[in-house]
Amino acid sequence: NAGVMQNPRHLVRRRGQEARLRCSPMKGHSHVYWYRQLPEEGLKFMVYLQKENIIDESGMPKERFSAEFPKEGPSILRIQQVVRGDSAAYFCASSPEASDTQYFGPGTRLTVL
Amino acid sequence: GDSVTQMEGPVTLSEEAFLTINCTYTATGYPSLFWYVQYPGEGLQLLLKATKADDKGSNKGFEATYRKETTSFHLEKGSVQVSDSAVYFCALSHLGGYNKLIFGAGTRLAVHP
């Protein structure tokens, strides 16, 4: 049973470009969470999605950031017009329904030049 | 709001030494409590968890007890190994809060031979 998959593992963007991060949850998991880890800090919650629905986006910046989890395919975290402060590791985690245990992917490390 | 406070690192120990990493929390109700471990360049792995007061979580020689009276969940291990060198994160979640994890800042542990 494959774990949570994220790609790319490393992403370099110039200021003003778009970053698109993908997360494939574990098989049978319909809940996805995105977290951001700034250098030398803990993880901060960004958004929680179920298939085709955003349930809680209270940790997501109001501008430039969006997330989706379509019926088919991976969950996508999209950052438009990236700035240097967006440089961080972005982790997604998945869980089966009605469970409080989340399983993390290896993360995408975004560097904005 | 809910929060988690961990002892600052780095913690440097010799192999076979006793480990304690302190964690306290502030939360309404009865959260679930977790310890996650992050090895260099990797995602987070669940180390152990406890879901109610006085529960003890344990795994790989690590253990932590959910103490509601002191709002603490300290991580302990009787004899650390070099391979335990990593960053350890304490976290909490609420079922009513969609189970999103609230993390402490992390504590880096370095074990030398």
Side-chain angles (χ1 to χ4, degrees):
Chain A
N1 187 14
V4 178
M5 311 281 283
Q6 289 188 251
N7 66 81
R9 293 292 305 274
H10 299 275
L11 181 61
V12 179
R13 286 287 178 266
R14 296 190 181 280
R15 280 179 296 171
Q17 291 184 320
E18 178 179 289
R20 193 173 288 242
L21 289 60
R22 295 174 183 76
C23 169
S24 296
M26 288 179 70
K27 187 176 180 181
H29 288 193
S30 58
H31 298 226
V32 166
Y33 302 79
W34 285 93
Y35 296 86
R36 177 165 65 176
Q37 184 180 31
L38 294 171
E40 304 301 320
E41 293 188 15
L43 280 74
K44 304 291 186 191
F45 166 78
M46 298 182 74
V47 62
Y48 162 51
L49 310 101
Q50 295 180 21
K51 283 283 188 181
E52 299 185 275
N53 289 300
I54 297 173
I55 307 301
D56 181 355
E57 56 182 348
S58 59
M60 193 96 98
K62 293 290 185 286
E63 298 179 351
R64 301 188 298 108
F65 286 73
S66 63
E68 63 177 11
F69 189 15
K71 186 176 180 181
E72 301 291 337
S75 175
I76 306 287
L77 180 67
R78 184 181 176 210
I79 312 172
Q80 295 178 290
Q81 299 176 326
V82 295
V83 302
R84 289 215 172 109
D86 296 332
S87 295
Y90 292 82
F91 292 95
C92 90
S94 72
S95 69
E97 201 153 359
S99 167
D100 63 356
T101 299
Q102 295 177 28
Y103 298 86
F104 281 79
T108 293
R109 281 157 180 82
L110 172 66
T111 301
V112 179
L113 301 177
Chain B
D2 295 353
S3 65
V4 175
T5 302
Q6 290 180 238
M7 64 186 286
E8 288 191 22
V11 174
T12 303
L13 295 173
S14 298
E15 205 164 23
E16 300 183 2
F18 183 85
L19 168 70
T20 300
I21 300 178
N22 290 339
C23 170
T24 57
Y25 67 90
T26 302
T28 55
Y30 300 92
S32 294
L33 301 175
F34 305 83
W35 277 101
Y36 280 85
V37 58
Q38 184 179 33
Y39 297 101
E42 297 185 10
L44 276 70
Q45 299 175 25
L46 178 64
L47 183 59
L48 54 84
K49 71 176 186 179
T51 57
K52 61 183 187 296
D54 300 325
D55 266 3
K56 178 184 284 188
S58 61
N59 186 26
K60 300 180 181 179
F62 292 90
E63 57 182 36
T65 301
Y66 190 145
R67 301 283 188 203
K68 185 148 181 72
E69 64 276 13
T70 55
T71 61
S72 65
F73 193 55
H74 304 321
L75 182 68
E76 295 182 337
K77 186 175 185 183
S79 176
V80 294
Q81 305 300 312
V82 172
S83 58
D84 293 326
S85 299
V87 181
Y88 292 81
F89 292 96
C90 185
L92 67 81
S93 74
H94 282 289
L95 183 61
Y98 304 119
N99 287 325
K100 62 189 176 194
L101 289 161
I102 296 170
F103 286 91
T107 302
R108 185 176 300 276
L109 170 65
V111 180
H112 55 84

